[in-house]
Structures are given as C-alpha cells and as structure tokens.
Amino acid sequence: MAGDPIEGEVLILVAAKASVGPQRLPDLIDRVAADLNPRRETYTREYERAYESDDRTAFFVEDGHWQAIRDRLDLGEREVDAVRRAHHEQLTRDGRRLGRIEEFEMALEIRDCVVLGT
C-alpha cells in the first residue's frame, strides 16, 4: 500500500512539515487506512462525501474525529497530526484539480476530512 490513498508528493510535503520521519509516514497512513477502509459503509451513511474519484473518496467529518482514530489505534499526538495533515493536504490538492478549492477550504474551516482509497 505504501501510503495509499495519499499521493507520494503529498507524503513528501507533509513529512517535511510534520514531526514524523518520512520513512514512518507511509506506514502510519497504511495503518490508519487499514482501520478506516472497513468502515466505508459508516462513512457513506453518516458523513458528507466531498468527492469521489477512481482512486479515492473524501468525506467531511466532525472536529475531534481524528482524536477518536488516535485513541482507537493508540497513536501519539504527532503521529495522528501527521496523518490528519496528509488527508487534509490530499483533499486540498484534489480540490485544486477539481476547481473546488474555495469550497473545500471553507468546509475545512469548520470540519475535518478523511480520505479513503477506492
């Protein structure tokens, strides 16, 4: 998997800013994806879908959602922050490609996001 559903360029950018080494970030992304992907039905039912592509689906989630993931997976604060940043950066990068960056940035002011591989 090596960081799926997050693009390699996003991983490099986030690793440069995060307090998690670039060699660890893809493993953390994969660990979180392994937890989130089986919950796809729940995300589809309970959260607003930001967009869907051939590679990934992004959802807007409530503030605090990443803390619940952190607790469930016993991640450190730096680890969950790096993974959250990667999901956020992937959404904004895709928003630029889709011509929806303003919409996504406004939504991210009050919510967070989760990106799942398809």
Side-chain angles (χ1 to χ4, degrees):
M1 287 177 56
D4 288 337
I6 309 300
E7 295 173 3
E9 289 179 10
V10 171
L11 292 174
I12 291 168
L13 175 68
V14 170
K17 296 178 182 180
S19 297
V20 173
Q23 66 283 1
R24 284 196 61 223
L25 187 56
D27 292 337
L28 287 169
I29 297 289
D30 288 346
R31 182 173 168 204
V32 169
D35 176 73
L36 296 179
N37 284 334
R39 301 170 195 272
R40 176 177 299 282
E41 293 277 330
T42 301
Y43 281 99
T44 300
R45 252 189 345 269
E46 296 182 13
Y47 297 102
E48 178 186 354
R49 183 177 303 147
Y51 73 94
E52 187 167 23
S53 72
D54 291 341
D55 300 321
R56 60 190 143 265
T57 305
F59 296 92
F60 291 118
V61 297
E62 74 278 356
D63 256 356
H65 192 79
W66 282 101
Q67 283 67 35
I69 294 168
R70 178 199 65 202
D71 294 346
R72 189 169 59 240
L73 297 178
D74 196 29
L75 298 173
E77 199 61 43
R78 289 180 185 165
E79 293 170 324
V80 76
D81 184 57
V83 175
R84 183 195 60 75
R85 283 185 195 197
H87 282 245
H88 181 104
E89 183 62 32
Q90 186 64 60
L91 177 71
T92 56
R93 179 173 288 239
D94 289 340
R96 281 192 282 291
R97 285 187 195 128
L98 297 167
R100 297 175 63 191
I101 189 63
E102 288 101 15
E103 172 191 343
F104 289 175
E105 286 179 342
M106 285 191 335
L108 289 170
E109 288 179 14
I110 58 171
R111 295 182 275 180
D112 222 324
C113 69
V114 166
V115 180
L116 302 178
T118 53

